[in-house]
Protein backbone atom coordinates (compact mmCIF):
# COMPACT_ATOMS: atom_id res chain seq x y z
CA UNK A 1 0.00 0.00 0.00
CA UNK A 2 1.35 3.42 -0.91
CA UNK A 3 1.76 5.71 2.07
CA UNK A 4 0.75 9.36 1.67
CA UNK A 5 3.37 12.02 2.01
CA UNK A 6 3.07 15.71 2.82
CA UNK A 7 1.15 17.63 5.44
CA UNK A 8 -2.58 17.75 5.38
CA UNK A 9 -3.28 14.32 3.90
CA UNK A 10 -5.38 11.71 5.73
CA UNK A 11 -3.69 9.20 7.99
CA UNK A 12 -2.43 6.25 5.96
CA UNK A 13 -3.74 3.66 8.39
CA UNK A 14 -7.29 5.03 8.38
CA UNK A 15 -9.63 2.78 6.35
CA UNK A 16 -11.84 4.53 3.77
CA UNK A 17 -14.99 3.77 5.79
CA UNK A 18 -13.56 5.57 8.84
CA UNK A 19 -12.49 8.50 6.64
CA UNK A 20 -16.00 8.78 5.16
CA UNK A 21 -17.51 8.63 8.65
CA UNK A 22 -15.25 11.45 9.78
CA UNK A 23 -16.08 13.65 6.79
CA UNK A 24 -19.78 13.13 7.37
CA UNK A 25 -19.94 13.54 11.13
CA UNK A 26 -17.31 16.17 12.01
CA UNK A 27 -19.80 19.10 11.73
CA UNK A 28 -22.35 17.22 13.87
CA UNK A 29 -19.72 16.40 16.49
CA UNK A 30 -18.62 20.06 16.58
CA UNK A 31 -22.22 21.22 17.07
CA UNK A 32 -22.85 18.54 19.72
CA UNK A 33 -19.68 19.62 21.54
CA UNK A 34 -20.90 23.23 21.56
CA UNK A 35 -24.40 22.32 22.80
CA UNK A 36 -23.09 20.10 25.58
CA UNK A 37 -20.49 22.74 26.57
CA UNK A 38 -23.35 25.22 26.99
CA UNK A 39 -25.13 22.55 29.04
CA UNK A 40 -22.05 22.41 31.28
CA UNK A 41 -22.31 26.19 31.73
CA UNK A 42 -25.99 25.87 32.68
CA UNK A 43 -25.25 23.15 35.24
CA UNK A 44 -22.39 25.30 36.53
CA UNK A 45 -24.86 28.14 36.99
CA UNK A 46 -27.22 25.86 38.91
CA UNK A 47 -24.31 24.80 41.10
CA UNK A 48 -23.49 28.45 41.81
CA UNK A 49 -27.07 29.61 42.43
CA UNK A 50 -27.87 26.69 44.76
CA UNK A 51 -24.57 26.98 46.63
CA UNK A 52 -23.61 23.44 45.64
CA UNK A 53 -19.98 24.16 44.74
CA UNK A 54 -18.83 22.05 47.67
CA UNK A 55 -21.65 19.53 47.38
CA UNK A 56 -18.85 17.12 46.49
CA UNK A 57 -15.92 18.35 48.61
CA UNK A 58 -13.43 15.99 46.99
CA UNK A 59 -12.43 15.23 43.40
CA UNK A 60 -12.87 13.13 41.28
CA UNK A 61 -14.97 11.15 43.78
CA UNK A 62 -17.91 12.61 45.69
CA UNK A 63 -17.64 12.15 49.46
CA UNK A 64 -15.17 9.38 48.68
CA UNK A 65 -17.75 7.50 46.58
CA UNK A 66 -18.31 6.90 42.87
CA UNK A 67 -22.06 7.47 43.33
CA UNK A 68 -22.82 10.43 45.61
CA UNK A 69 -24.95 10.12 48.75
CA UNK A 70 -28.61 11.05 48.86
CA UNK A 71 -27.97 14.78 49.17
CA UNK A 72 -29.44 17.35 46.78
CA UNK A 73 -26.35 19.57 46.62
CA UNK A 74 -24.06 16.58 46.11
CA UNK A 75 -26.16 15.39 43.17
CA UNK A 76 -26.30 18.86 41.61
CA UNK A 77 -22.49 19.04 41.65
CA UNK A 78 -22.28 15.42 40.46
CA UNK A 79 -24.58 16.10 37.48
CA UNK A 80 -22.36 19.06 36.60
CA UNK A 81 -19.39 16.68 36.47
CA UNK A 82 -21.36 14.18 34.37
CA UNK A 83 -22.17 16.93 31.85
CA UNK A 84 -18.43 17.60 31.54
CA UNK A 85 -17.92 13.89 30.82
CA UNK A 86 -20.51 14.01 28.03
CA UNK A 87 -18.82 17.06 26.49
CA UNK A 88 -15.45 15.32 26.73
CA UNK A 89 -16.71 12.38 24.67
CA UNK A 90 -17.92 14.62 21.84
CA UNK A 91 -14.77 16.77 21.87
CA UNK A 92 -12.43 13.76 21.72
CA UNK A 93 -14.44 12.23 18.85
CA UNK A 94 -14.45 15.56 17.01
CA UNK A 95 -10.68 15.97 17.33
CA UNK A 96 -10.12 12.34 16.29
CA UNK A 97 -12.23 12.71 13.13
CA UNK A 98 -10.32 15.88 12.21
CA UNK A 99 -7.00 14.04 12.50
CA UNK A 100 -8.33 11.06 10.50
CA UNK A 101 -9.43 13.41 7.70
CA UNK A 102 -6.38 15.62 7.49
CA UNK A 103 -3.55 14.15 9.55
CA UNK A 104 -1.62 16.64 11.69
CA UNK A 105 -1.21 20.12 10.24
CA UNK A 106 -1.31 23.75 11.30
CA UNK A 107 -4.82 24.37 9.96
CA UNK A 108 -6.17 21.90 12.53
CA UNK A 109 -5.16 24.17 15.40
CA UNK A 110 -8.76 24.79 16.54
CA UNK A 111 -9.96 21.14 16.51
CA UNK A 112 -6.84 20.08 18.43
CA UNK A 113 -6.88 23.11 20.74
CA UNK A 114 -10.40 22.27 21.96
CA UNK A 115 -9.39 19.10 23.88
CA UNK A 116 -6.37 20.94 25.33
CA UNK A 117 -8.66 23.65 26.71
CA UNK A 118 -11.00 20.95 28.00
CA UNK A 119 -8.19 19.30 29.96
CA UNK A 120 -7.11 22.63 31.45
CA UNK A 121 -10.74 23.39 32.29
CA UNK A 122 -11.15 20.08 34.12
CA UNK A 123 -7.95 20.74 36.08
CA UNK A 124 -9.19 24.17 37.16
CA UNK A 125 -12.59 22.69 37.98
CA UNK A 126 -10.87 20.29 40.36
CA UNK A 127 -8.75 23.14 41.75
CA UNK A 128 -11.91 25.19 42.36
CA UNK A 129 -13.32 22.40 44.53
CA UNK A 130 -10.07 21.56 46.32
CA UNK A 131 -9.31 25.24 47.04
CA UNK A 132 -12.80 25.59 48.54
CA UNK A 133 -14.01 28.05 45.89
CA UNK A 134 -11.05 30.44 45.94
CA UNK A 135 -12.17 33.56 44.00
CA UNK A 136 -9.12 33.79 41.74
CA UNK A 137 -9.26 30.11 40.80
CA UNK A 138 -13.02 30.29 40.21
CA UNK A 139 -12.73 33.31 37.87
CA UNK A 140 -9.94 31.58 35.94
CA UNK A 141 -12.20 28.52 35.70
CA UNK A 142 -14.90 30.72 34.14
CA UNK A 143 -12.42 32.35 31.74
CA UNK A 144 -11.22 28.99 30.42
CA UNK A 145 -14.77 27.65 30.20
CA UNK A 146 -15.93 30.54 28.03
CA UNK A 147 -12.79 30.40 25.86
CA UNK A 148 -13.62 26.71 25.33
CA UNK A 149 -17.18 27.62 24.31
CA UNK A 150 -15.78 30.26 21.94
CA UNK A 151 -13.47 27.73 20.22
CA UNK A 152 -16.37 25.30 19.77
CA UNK A 153 -18.55 28.11 18.35
CA UNK A 154 -15.84 28.86 15.76
CA UNK A 155 -15.61 25.16 14.85
CA UNK A 156 -19.38 24.99 14.43
CA UNK A 157 -19.64 28.06 12.19
CA UNK A 158 -16.59 26.94 10.19
CA UNK A 159 -17.89 23.52 9.18
CA UNK A 160 -20.94 21.76 7.80
CA UNK A 161 -24.16 23.48 6.86
CA UNK A 162 -23.34 26.74 8.65
CA UNK A 163 -20.14 27.12 6.64
CA UNK A 164 -21.74 26.40 3.25
CA UNK A 165 -24.95 28.37 3.86
CA UNK A 166 -23.70 31.32 5.91
CA UNK A 167 -19.92 31.74 6.17
CA UNK A 168 -18.87 31.14 2.56
CA UNK A 169 -21.74 33.11 0.89
CA UNK A 170 -21.18 35.95 3.37
CA UNK A 171 -17.47 36.12 2.65
CA UNK A 172 -18.11 36.13 -1.11
CA UNK A 173 -20.87 38.77 -0.90
CA UNK A 174 -18.85 41.23 1.19
CA UNK A 175 -15.52 40.79 -0.58
CA UNK A 176 -14.49 44.23 -1.80
CA UNK A 177 -17.39 46.01 -0.07
CA UNK A 178 -16.31 49.36 1.38
CA UNK A 179 -17.80 48.49 4.79
CA UNK A 180 -16.47 44.93 4.96
CA UNK A 181 -13.45 45.81 7.10
CA UNK A 182 -15.50 48.06 9.39
CA UNK A 183 -18.07 45.35 10.05
CA UNK A 184 -15.52 42.59 10.58
CA UNK A 185 -13.48 44.72 12.98
CA UNK A 186 -16.56 45.80 14.92
CA UNK A 187 -17.77 42.21 15.25
CA UNK A 188 -14.37 40.97 16.40
CA UNK A 189 -14.17 43.70 19.04
CA UNK A 190 -17.76 42.97 20.07
CA UNK A 191 -16.94 39.29 20.68
CA UNK A 192 -13.87 40.27 22.73
CA UNK A 193 -15.82 42.85 24.74
CA UNK A 194 -18.58 40.34 25.44
CA UNK A 195 -15.95 37.90 26.73
CA UNK A 196 -14.48 40.55 29.04
CA UNK A 197 -17.99 41.48 30.18
CA UNK A 198 -18.58 37.85 31.18
CA UNK A 199 -15.34 37.78 33.16
CA UNK A 200 -16.08 41.08 34.91
CA UNK A 201 -19.51 39.74 35.89
CA UNK A 202 -17.92 36.61 37.30
CA UNK A 203 -15.46 38.73 39.29
CA UNK A 204 -18.31 40.91 40.64
CA UNK A 205 -19.97 37.80 42.05
CA UNK A 206 -16.80 36.14 43.34
CA UNK A 207 -15.55 39.34 45.01
CA UNK A 208 -18.79 39.81 46.93
CA UNK A 209 -19.84 42.94 45.03
CA UNK A 210 -23.17 41.96 43.35
CA UNK A 211 -25.17 44.12 45.80
CA UNK A 212 -22.57 46.85 46.33
CA UNK A 213 -24.77 49.16 44.24
CA UNK A 214 -28.49 48.92 44.97
CA UNK A 215 -29.74 51.45 42.41
CA UNK A 216 -29.94 51.26 38.63
CA UNK A 217 -28.46 52.51 36.33
CA UNK A 218 -26.35 54.51 38.82
CA UNK A 219 -24.80 53.09 41.96
CA UNK A 220 -26.88 54.98 44.48
CA UNK A 221 -25.89 56.06 47.97
CA UNK A 222 -22.28 56.22 49.11
CA UNK A 223 -20.99 53.46 51.41
CA UNK A 224 -21.14 54.05 55.19
CA UNK A 225 -18.17 55.88 56.76
CA UNK A 226 -15.13 53.64 57.04
CA UNK A 227 -16.26 51.26 54.29
CA UNK A 228 -14.17 50.83 51.18
CA UNK A 229 -15.23 52.06 47.78
CA UNK A 230 -13.59 49.00 46.25
CA UNK A 231 -16.72 46.83 45.96
CA UNK A 232 -18.75 49.63 44.40
CA UNK A 233 -15.92 50.31 41.94
CA UNK A 234 -15.84 46.64 40.95
CA UNK A 235 -19.60 46.60 40.50
CA UNK A 236 -19.70 49.81 38.44
CA UNK A 237 -16.80 48.68 36.26
CA UNK A 238 -19.01 45.79 35.14
CA UNK A 239 -21.79 48.23 34.25
CA UNK A 240 -19.37 50.44 32.31
CA UNK A 241 -18.21 47.36 30.37
CA UNK A 242 -21.85 46.60 29.56
CA UNK A 243 -22.34 50.19 28.36
CA UNK A 244 -19.29 49.97 26.08
CA UNK A 245 -20.50 46.63 24.72
CA UNK A 246 -23.95 48.09 24.03
CA UNK A 247 -22.57 51.12 22.19
CA UNK A 248 -20.34 48.94 20.02
CA UNK A 249 -23.30 46.64 19.30
CA UNK A 250 -25.32 49.65 18.08
CA UNK A 251 -22.51 50.64 15.71
CA UNK A 252 -22.13 47.07 14.42
CA UNK A 253 -25.89 46.77 13.92
CA UNK A 254 -26.00 50.05 12.02
CA UNK A 255 -23.13 48.89 9.80
CA UNK A 256 -24.89 45.56 9.20
CA UNK A 257 -28.02 47.49 8.16
CA UNK A 258 -25.98 49.36 5.57
CA UNK A 259 -24.64 46.13 3.99
CA UNK A 260 -27.96 44.25 4.11
CA UNK A 261 -28.41 44.58 0.33
CA UNK A 262 -25.23 42.53 -0.22
CA UNK A 263 -26.04 39.92 2.43
CA UNK A 264 -28.64 39.99 5.21
CA UNK A 265 -26.87 37.42 7.44
CA UNK A 266 -24.90 40.02 9.49
CA UNK A 267 -28.09 41.93 10.22
CA UNK A 268 -29.86 38.75 11.37
CA UNK A 269 -26.93 37.65 13.52
CA UNK A 270 -26.49 41.06 15.11
CA UNK A 271 -30.23 41.37 15.58
CA UNK A 272 -30.14 38.11 17.56
CA UNK A 273 -27.17 39.37 19.53
CA UNK A 274 -28.93 42.67 20.31
CA UNK A 275 -32.07 40.87 21.53
CA UNK A 276 -30.06 38.59 23.81
CA UNK A 277 -27.94 41.48 25.07
CA UNK A 278 -31.04 43.57 25.90
CA UNK A 279 -32.48 40.63 27.84
CA UNK A 280 -29.14 40.23 29.58
CA UNK A 281 -29.14 43.89 30.68
CA UNK A 282 -32.72 43.51 31.99
CA UNK A 283 -31.73 40.44 33.99
CA UNK A 284 -28.71 42.28 35.37
CA UNK A 285 -30.99 45.08 36.57
CA UNK A 286 -33.35 42.47 38.08
CA UNK A 287 -30.48 41.04 40.09
CA UNK A 288 -29.88 44.45 41.66
CA UNK A 289 -33.46 45.61 42.10
CA UNK A 290 -34.81 42.29 43.43
CA UNK A 291 -31.71 41.46 45.53
CA UNK A 292 -30.31 38.48 43.61
CA UNK A 293 -33.29 36.15 43.15
CA UNK A 294 -32.21 32.68 42.04
CA UNK A 295 -34.14 32.77 38.76
CA UNK A 296 -32.50 36.05 37.72
CA UNK A 297 -28.99 34.91 38.63
CA UNK A 298 -29.29 31.67 36.68
CA UNK A 299 -30.97 33.33 33.68
CA UNK A 300 -28.32 36.08 33.70
CA UNK A 301 -25.57 33.48 33.40
CA UNK A 302 -27.30 31.39 30.73
CA UNK A 303 -28.21 34.36 28.52
CA UNK A 304 -24.68 35.77 28.90
CA UNK A 305 -23.26 32.48 27.57
CA UNK A 306 -25.68 32.45 24.63
CA UNK A 307 -24.90 36.10 23.85
CA UNK A 308 -21.19 35.36 23.75
CA UNK A 309 -21.77 32.29 21.56
CA UNK A 310 -23.76 34.30 19.02
CA UNK A 311 -21.08 37.04 19.01
CA UNK A 312 -18.32 34.50 18.30
CA UNK A 313 -20.29 32.76 15.56
CA UNK A 314 -21.07 36.11 13.93
CA UNK A 315 -17.39 37.14 14.09
CA UNK A 316 -16.29 33.75 12.76
CA UNK A 317 -18.74 33.98 9.87
CA UNK A 318 -17.65 37.50 8.94
CA UNK A 319 -13.96 36.60 9.10
CA UNK A 320 -14.52 33.49 6.99
CA UNK A 321 -13.38 30.90 9.52
CA UNK A 322 -13.51 27.55 7.76
CA UNK A 323 -12.49 24.08 8.89
CA UNK A 324 -11.55 22.30 5.66
CA UNK A 325 -13.65 19.23 4.94
CA UNK A 326 -12.91 17.37 1.71
CA UNK A 327 -15.55 15.82 -0.46
CA UNK A 328 -16.84 12.45 0.64
CA UNK A 329 -15.35 9.58 -1.35
CA UNK A 330 -17.70 7.07 -2.84
CA UNK A 331 -18.48 3.77 -1.12
CA UNK A 332 -15.48 1.48 -1.39
CA UNK A 333 -13.35 4.34 -2.74
CA UNK A 334 -10.23 5.42 -0.87
CA UNK A 335 -9.77 9.09 -0.01
CA UNK A 336 -7.20 11.04 -1.95
CA UNK A 337 -3.70 10.20 -0.78
CA UNK A 338 -4.68 6.84 0.74
CA UNK A 339 -4.64 3.64 -1.24
CA UNK A 340 -7.54 1.23 -0.95
CA UNK A 341 -7.18 -1.43 1.74
CA UNK A 342 -8.76 -4.02 -0.53
Amino acid sequence: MDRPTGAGRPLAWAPPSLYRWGCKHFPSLAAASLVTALLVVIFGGIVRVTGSGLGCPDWPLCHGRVIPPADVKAWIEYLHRLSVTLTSIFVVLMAATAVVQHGFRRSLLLPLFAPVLLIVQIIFGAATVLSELDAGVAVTHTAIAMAFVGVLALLTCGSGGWSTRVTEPLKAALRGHRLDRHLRTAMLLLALLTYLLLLSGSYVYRSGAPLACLSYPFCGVAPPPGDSWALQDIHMLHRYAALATGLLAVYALWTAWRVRAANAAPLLLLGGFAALFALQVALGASNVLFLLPGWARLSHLVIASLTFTVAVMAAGSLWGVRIASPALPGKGEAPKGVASHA
Side-chain angles (χ1 to χ4, degrees):
M1 182 183 70
D2 295 331
R3 297 279 178 175
T5 58
R9 293 191 177 185
L11 295 183
W13 52 261
S17 58
L18 181 59
Y19 180 82
R20 286 195 303 272
W21 190 92
C23 290
K24 181 178 179 180
H25 292 288
F26 176 84
S28 299
L29 290 170
S33 298
L34 175 60
V35 171
T36 53
L38 289 171
L39 185 65
V40 170
V41 172
I42 293 173
F43 271 111
I46 295 174
V47 167
R48 183 189 300 179
V49 169
T50 59
S52 303
L54 295 177
C56 293
D58 47 349
W59 193 94
L61 300 177
C62 185
H63 293 280
R65 302 163 57 175
V66 176
I67 303 298
D71 176 76
V72 173
K73 290 188 176 182
W75 271 97
I76 289 174
E77 169 62 16
Y78 187 69
L79 288 174
H80 176 54
R81 296 184 186 182
L82 288 180
S83 67
V84 174
T85 302
L86 180 61
T87 303
S88 302
I89 293 172
F90 284 121
V91 169
V92 170
L93 285 174
M94 176 193 68
T97 56
V99 171
V100 166
Q101 289 180 65
H102 306 290
F104 294 95
R105 60 174 177 172
R106 188 173 300 174
S107 63
L108 289 185
L109 176 63
L110 280 179
L112 297 180
F113 188 49
V116 173
L117 273 179
L118 177 63
I119 293 171
V120 176
Q121 169 72 349
I122 291 172
I123 292 172
F124 269 92
T128 301
V129 173
L130 299 178
S131 65
E132 298 185 352
L133 306 181
D134 176 79
V137 175
V139 172
T140 304
H141 182 56
T142 300
I144 298 170
M146 296 318 302
F148 178 61
V149 168
V151 168
L152 294 177
L154 287 175
L155 288 170
T156 301
C157 73
S159 62
W162 186 285
S163 178
T164 56
R165 297 171 187 171
V166 179
T167 302
E168 294 176 15
L170 179 57
K171 185 178 180 181
L174 296 184
R175 185 180 292 114
H177 196 288
R178 64 186 182 88
L179 293 176
D180 179 33
R181 182 180 299 178
H182 294 273
L183 185 57
R184 287 191 294 122
T185 302
M187 200 63 243
L188 178 61
L189 292 175
L190 189 58
L192 291 174
L193 263 181
T194 306
Y195 179 71
L196 294 176
L197 182 62
L198 271 166
L199 297 189
S200 69
S202 176
Y203 188 69
V204 165
Y205 178 80
R206 297 295 182 182
S207 64
L211 294 179
C213 294
L214 294 177
S215 297
Y216 197 88
F218 303 107
C219 188
V221 297
D227 281 10
S228 172
W229 284 91
L231 292 182
Q232 289 191 344
D233 291 341
I234 291 171
H235 186 110
M236 288 305 297
L237 182 63
H238 179 58
R239 295 193 193 181
Y240 295 144
L243 177 61
T245 304
L247 292 175
L248 183 57
V250 170
Y251 171 74
L253 194 60
W254 174 66
T255 307
W257 174 263
R258 295 171 66 189
V259 304
R260 71 190 185 282
N263 191 295
L267 184 61
L268 294 175
L269 288 169
L270 279 161
F273 175 89
L276 287 170
F277 183 75
L279 179 58
Q280 176 72 347
V281 171
L283 288 168
S286 298
N287 274 318
V288 171
L289 299 177
F290 298 111
L291 304 180
L292 299 178
W295 61 268
R297 289 169 59 196
L298 179 58
S299 300
H300 192 55
L301 176 63
V302 172
I303 299 301
S305 303
L306 292 176
T307 304
F308 174 65
T309 301
V310 172
V312 172
M313 294 188 73
S317 299
L318 283 166
W319 282 88
V321 172
R322 184 173 181 273
I323 309 301
S325 183
L328 283 168
K331 187 175 182 179
E333 177 187 349
K336 183 178 180 181
V338 178
S340 172
H341 287 242

